[in-house]
């Protein structure tokens, strides 16, 4: 069998066994398979901060270098979500999802055996490729495989799996570092990924029939599968949108010219976005102690600014921009994306600073992990079922504002109280507040976006999340480097509390 035939066979999606496909509850098996990937991705996101100190000791590396174990992963994830979503329309989402499990599992195995820091960073970058292959397709697989009447419940189950992974990460990481080795943080992914491959092969429905022509990727419209809910939401909100903004948003986000021709993927925009964010994070890392020349900070900041300006120009003229300017200018979208970025910055800063403060006060790594777990646990609880504890009449705007204020209060208390078990309650409060803020804010953003632009809008929300996570980690390390673990960590937390309080003012209802 030649290479072409082998590749064709590997990329051909196989149908589920007849006994499974014919079962009336088979769609819940597909949801369970997607939940495996959702759990794995969030577990990996929240576990990594607990292993920074152990990795630094093993490889004799500073905090500014070790943080690239996380930053490399996040940068690759930001860069690949959009193109992998585009590519998945060509080769099939089932194929890409199963491939994501394989890439993630193999790179996790390699990360556990890494003999040096930069080998580990490289494995993490490859790991992000697998994560992007899963994240870019998870919601679409649920939407394709689940009947419309069960859609809300299925997406809620997926969110619960994400919340469970996010909540278990710190405690699992602390236990593995304390009683085994940081390498097990990566090896534990391997059996989950292997099971995900088998489950995906047998339980996921085909998304592209054998021999079917490749689809031309484009944004989801109101007439496409899953577009009905967005169409209804769009009708309710059309009265609140400026018509000029709406028309421009549709033109720039649909990727079509005035003649209706489909446009190519915006590769230059993607490269400029990746370069700008990488330069900014490298500048922060250099300021945090990464062994580069002193002039590198200014040079990298200038490079980031220049690339950002070039990105703005590129996106204004691109036929199918990844950051559609017309969409960003739609009332409520720009402020919502800023709030989303800030929200994940507020979530991941304490995940980095918490272990530093607690272990510095003499708390064991395992115990610190259990305490820190309360932050993502509060977030997961609020994001899934905790919102039901609120008054029924609360709008998404009200939830955002109260969530931001609760997060501010929790972070303020965490900054002021001694680093001990007393930190548990403030972290739980902050996590609950962020769990109210972020889902409600995402709902506001997606309602403000025209229905036919929902795919592009969802991609921008994901980018804001990943960038906020990366900046949260980088700024935490910078604060510790400049002012020491105790003083710097608490100063950063006080600033975060103020930012959270100010975020409440950014959230406002969309007006005409």
């Amino acid at each position: 069998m030649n290479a072409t035939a082998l590749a064709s066979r590997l990329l051909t999606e196989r149908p589920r066994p007849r006994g499974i496909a014919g079962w009336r509850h088979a769609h819940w098996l597909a949801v369970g398979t997607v939940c495996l990937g959702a759990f794995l991705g969030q577990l990996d996101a929240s576990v990594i901060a607990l292993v920074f100190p152990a990795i630094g000791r093993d490889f004799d590396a500073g905090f500014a270098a070790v943080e690239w174990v996380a930053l490399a992963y996040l940068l690759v994830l930001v860069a690949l979500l959009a193109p992998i979503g585009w590519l998945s329309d060509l080769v099939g989402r089932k194929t890409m999802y199963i491939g994501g499990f394989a890439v993630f599992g193999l790179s996790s195995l390699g990360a556990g055996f890494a003999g040096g820091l930069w080998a580990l960073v490289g494995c993490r970058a490859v790991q992000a490729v697998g994560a992007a292959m899963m994240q870019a397709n998870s919601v679409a697989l649920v939407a394709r495989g689940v009947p419309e009447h069960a859609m809300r419940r299925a997406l809620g189950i997926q969110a619960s799996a994400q919340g469970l992974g996010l909540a278990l990460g710190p405690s699992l990481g602390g236990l593995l570092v304390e009683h085994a080795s940081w390498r097990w943080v990566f090896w534990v992914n391997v059996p989950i990924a292997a099971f995900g491959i088998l489950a995906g092969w047998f339980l996921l429905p085909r998304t592209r029939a054998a021999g079917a022509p490749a689809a031309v990727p484009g944004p989801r419209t109101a007439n496409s599968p899953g577009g009905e809910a967005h169409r209804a939401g769009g009708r309710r909100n059309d009265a609140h949108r400026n018509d000029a903004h709406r028309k421009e948003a549709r033109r720039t986000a649909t990727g079509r010219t005035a003649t209706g021709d489909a446009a190519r993927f915006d590769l230059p925009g993607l490269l400029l976005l990746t370069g700008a964010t990488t330069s900014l994070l490298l500048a922060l890392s250099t300021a945090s102690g990464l062994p580069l020349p002193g002039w590198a900070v200014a040079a990298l900041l200038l490079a980031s600014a220049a690339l950002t300006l070039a990105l703005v120009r590129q996106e204004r003229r691109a036929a199918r921009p990844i950051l559609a300017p017309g969409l960003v200018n739609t009332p409520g979208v720009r402020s919502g994306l800023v709030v989303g970025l800030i929200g994940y910055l507020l979530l991941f800063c304490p995940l980095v600073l918490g272990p530093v403060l607690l272990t510095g006060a003499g708390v064991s790594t395992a115990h610190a992990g259990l305490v820190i777990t309360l932050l993502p646990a509060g977030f997961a609880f609020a994001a899934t079922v905790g919102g039901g504890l609120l008054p029924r009449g609360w709008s998404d705007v009200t939830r955002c504002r109260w969530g931001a204020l609760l997060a501010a209060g929790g972070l303020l208390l965490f900054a002021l109280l001694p680093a001990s078990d007393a930190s548990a309650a403030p972290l739980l409060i902050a996590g609950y507040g962020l769990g109210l803020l972020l889902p409600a804010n995402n709902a506001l953003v997606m309602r403000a976006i025209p229905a036919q632009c929902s795919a592009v809008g969802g991609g921008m929300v994901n980018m804001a999340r990943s960038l906020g996570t990366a900046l949260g980690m980088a700024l935490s390390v910078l604060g510790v480097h400049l002012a020491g673990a105790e003083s710097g960590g608490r100063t950063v937390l006080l600033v975060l509390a103020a930012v959270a309080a100010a975020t409440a003012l950014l959230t406002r209802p969309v007006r005409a």
Side-chain angles (χ1 to χ4, degrees):
M1 182 182 295
N2 59 35
T4 303
L6 178 62
S8 176
R9 184 170 182 177
L10 289 173
L11 292 175
T12 300
E13 294 190 344
R14 302 295 178 185
R16 292 173 291 181
R18 289 184 181 180
I20 293 174
W23 187 42
R24 64 191 183 97
H25 297 301
H27 54 276
W28 292 118
L29 298 177
V31 171
T33 302
V34 172
C35 284
L36 275 175
F39 171 83
L40 190 60
Q42 293 303 311
L43 178 75
D44 193 77
S46 63
V47 75
I48 194 65
L50 266 293
V51 304
F52 281 175
I55 292 173
R57 287 192 299 269
D58 260 22
F59 295 135
D60 193 24
F63 211 171
V66 172
E67 70 172 331
W68 279 90
V69 174
L71 294 183
Y73 177 94
L74 292 167
L75 283 170
V76 173
L77 190 63
V78 169
L80 291 185
L81 278 173
I84 283 181
W86 181 81
L87 183 62
S88 297
D89 285 329
L90 297 176
V91 302
R93 296 189 178 275
K94 175 177 179 176
T95 295
M96 291 296 282
Y97 202 79
I98 295 172
F101 275 122
V103 173
F104 198 92
L106 289 172
S107 55
S108 295
L109 186 65
F113 284 111
L117 177 61
W118 298 110
L120 176 59
V121 170
C123 288
R124 285 283 288 169
V126 178
Q127 201 178 36
V129 177
M133 293 169 73
M134 292 187 284
Q135 286 190 27
N137 292 293
S138 58
V139 173
L141 284 168
V142 172
R144 185 180 183 89
V146 173
E148 187 175 348
H149 68 85
M151 186 71 65
R152 182 184 295 271
R153 184 181 175 194
L155 291 174
I157 292 172
Q158 184 200 12
S160 298
Q162 290 175 321
L164 181 62
L166 196 66
L168 284 179
S171 56
L172 179 63
L175 289 169
L176 288 174
V177 170
E178 186 80 15
H179 300 292
S181 164
W182 62 263
R183 297 179 185 276
W184 279 99
V185 167
F186 300 106
W187 287 335
V188 76
N189 295 331
V190 177
I192 301 174
F195 185 72
I197 293 171
L198 292 174
W201 185 271
F202 290 106
L203 303 181
L204 288 178
R206 277 194 301 186
T207 59
R208 185 165 171 255
V216 177
R220 184 168 61 181
T221 67
N223 296 319
S224 65
E228 182 64 33
H230 290 283
R231 183 169 69 244
R235 283 199 296 262
R236 288 195 298 271
N237 288 281
D238 277 350
H240 301 288
R241 252 177 242 126
N242 181 279
D243 188 60
H245 276 307
R246 185 171 65 248
K247 289 179 179 178
E248 175 64 12
R250 287 174 177 172
R251 187 191 71 79
T252 58
T254 53
R256 297 183 183 276
T257 64
T259 60
D261 295 328
R264 292 183 177 182
F265 179 76
D266 182 20
L267 180 60
L270 177 67
L271 295 175
L272 288 169
L273 173 65
T274 304
T277 52
T278 303
S279 298
L280 175 60
L281 291 171
L282 268 173
L284 292 174
S285 292
T286 303
S288 303
L290 195 68
L292 291 176
W295 52 262
V297 176
L300 287 165
L301 288 175
L302 286 173
S304 181
L307 290 169
T308 300
L309 291 175
L311 173 64
V312 172
R313 294 187 61 184
Q314 165 64 23
E315 297 307 274
R316 284 176 176 168
R317 66 172 182 256
R320 191 188 179 193
I322 55 174
L323 297 174
L327 199 58
V328 173
N329 291 329
T330 302
V333 174
R334 181 191 291 133
S335 61
L337 292 174
V338 171
V339 170
L341 185 150
I342 291 173
Y344 278 95
L345 186 152
L346 295 173
L347 178 62
F348 277 86
C349 262
L351 284 177
V352 175
L353 293 173
V356 173
L357 292 172
L358 289 166
T359 55
V363 178
S364 70
T365 303
H367 194 73
L370 291 173
V371 174
I372 296 299
T373 287
L374 291 174
L375 176 70
F379 177 88
F381 176 73
T384 51
V385 299
L389 303 177
L390 303 177
R392 289 181 178 272
W394 277 21
S395 66
D396 283 328
V397 172
T398 303
R399 287 172 180 246
C400 284
R401 289 173 176 169
W402 277 103
L405 292 174
L406 281 172
L411 291 170
L412 180 62
L413 289 173
F414 186 39
L416 298 177
L417 291 174
S420 65
D421 287 347
S423 304
L427 287 171
L428 187 62
I429 294 170
Y432 185 85
L434 292 170
L436 294 180
L437 168 67
L438 286 166
N441 176 70
N442 290 347
L444 288 171
V445 172
M446 295 309 294
R447 277 204 296 271
I449 290 172
Q452 58 267 53
C453 306
S454 59
V456 178
M460 290 196 298
V461 169
N462 283 331
M463 286 183 188
R465 176 186 64 194
S466 296
L467 289 174
T469 302
L471 284 173
M473 292 185 171
L475 292 173
S476 298
V477 175
L478 179 62
V480 170
H481 174 75
L482 293 178
E486 177 72 17
S487 177
R490 293 189 184 278
T491 299
V492 171
L493 289 170
L494 288 172
V495 173
L496 292 178
V499 170
T503 302
L505 303 176
L506 286 175
T507 304
R508 57 192 65 186
V510 178
R511 295 185 175 89

